[in-house]
Amino acid sequence: MKVVVQIKLTPDAAQAPALGRTLHAVNEATNRASADFFGYFKLKGSVPQLRKLCYGEL
């Protein structure tokens, strides 16, 4: 069973810039991993293949 939890982040003024940079970096990394994976496997890849291809660098 999959459980999804929504949370609301409420950083203070000092934490907000760091959180913004972190979210931006995560978004860029996931976009790159997606593009690299699709470039290698198109729509026929699997999760283990994704891990081998991308997780070391991430």
Side-chain angles (χ1 to χ4, degrees):
M1 174 186 357
K2 206 179 241 191
V3 177
V4 176
V5 177
Q6 288 185 348
I7 61 169
K8 182 177 180 178
L9 300 176
T10 53
D12 62 29
Q15 295 168 326
L19 179 60
R21 289 189 304 272
T22 300
L23 292 174
H24 181 74
V26 167
N27 191 36
E28 284 187 353
T30 56
N31 286 340
R32 181 172 174 201
S34 177
D36 289 350
F37 188 72
F38 187 77
Y40 278 96
F41 300 106
K42 301 294 182 216
L43 297 176
K44 300 191 186 281
S46 66
V47 172
Q49 290 170 319
L50 172 65
R51 289 181 182 143
K52 280 185 179 179
L53 180 66
C54 299
Y55 278 25
E57 183 178 342
L58 294 176

